[in-house]
Amino acid sequence: MNRRQALLGLCALPAMTRIATAAAAPVVVVNKTPTCGCCGLWVKHLQAAGFTVQVHDLENLAPIKERVGVPFGMGSCHTAEVDGYFIEGHVPADDIKRLLSERPQAKGLTVPGMPAGSPGMEVASGRVDRYDVLLVGKDGKTSVFATHGDNLGQ
């Protein structure tokens, strides 16, 4: 290897690292209804956080929610899957990153309902209602994974 080849190899290293990192990141598969606007905003939130997202528009999400194990009454308007976990509703991207980093023995995360100010449910005033992101264990039991919104720390 001559000096020129070595320098070219060093210059290419950062680009190759970025490509390898992007290829290694899990894809988030989002299942939503075709007419849901807030779901589209949540997808944009994930993309802005660096996730690669595949969107599937479906008329009936119930079979998917049942297959992945979303507990009754814990549903929302979209169901995603990433690296063996489900993500139900307006879960912040940072919580998904934490889930993937910590890898708890669980089925997934859920934000039941559609809390104002959660990702995809932003309001003009900037208000964020207090809400919990729940971790759903393999046994279906839930625990608080994260809390977001007004009055934190009080």
Side-chain angles (χ1 to χ4, degrees):
M1 175 183 289
N2 65 32
R3 182 175 178 207
R4 182 170 184 228
Q5 289 171 322
L7 286 174
L8 286 173
L10 287 175
C11 290
L13 190 58
M16 291 185 316
T17 302
R18 282 192 303 271
I19 291 168
T21 301
V27 173
V28 180
V29 177
V30 177
N31 301 289
K32 67 178 201 60
T33 58
T35 58
C36 185
C38 65
C39 296
L41 294 173
W42 185 71
V43 166
K44 288 180 182 178
H45 166 75
L46 293 183
Q47 291 168 329
F51 284 103
T52 299
V53 182
Q54 290 179 359
V55 176
H56 299 277
D57 287 329
L58 305 166
E59 293 297 329
N60 183 6
L61 299 177
I64 291 170
K65 293 177 190 301
E66 184 177 339
R67 176 178 55 78
V68 300
V70 176
F72 182 76
M74 299 280 172
S76 188
C77 55
H78 53 265
T79 304
E81 296 176 77
V82 60
D83 210 19
Y85 293 104
F86 74 72
I87 308 296
E88 179 70 14
H90 295 270
V91 176
D94 285 344
D95 292 342
I96 299 170
K97 289 177 180 179
R98 180 179 151 210
L99 175 78
L100 295 174
S101 171
E102 293 179 5
R103 307 273 332 151
Q105 292 295 311
K107 292 181 181 181
L109 298 175
T110 182
V111 172
M114 300 165 73
S118 61
M121 292 297 298
E122 292 86 356
V123 294
S125 69
R127 183 185 94 235
V128 179
D129 289 346
R130 185 181 176 102
Y131 67 96
D132 291 329
V133 176
L134 303 175
L135 179 72
V136 179
K138 293 282 186 186
D139 59 1
K141 294 181 181 175
T142 61
S143 60
V144 175
F145 186 77
T147 301
H148 300 278
D150 290 340
N151 303 319
L152 289 180
Q154 292 184 358

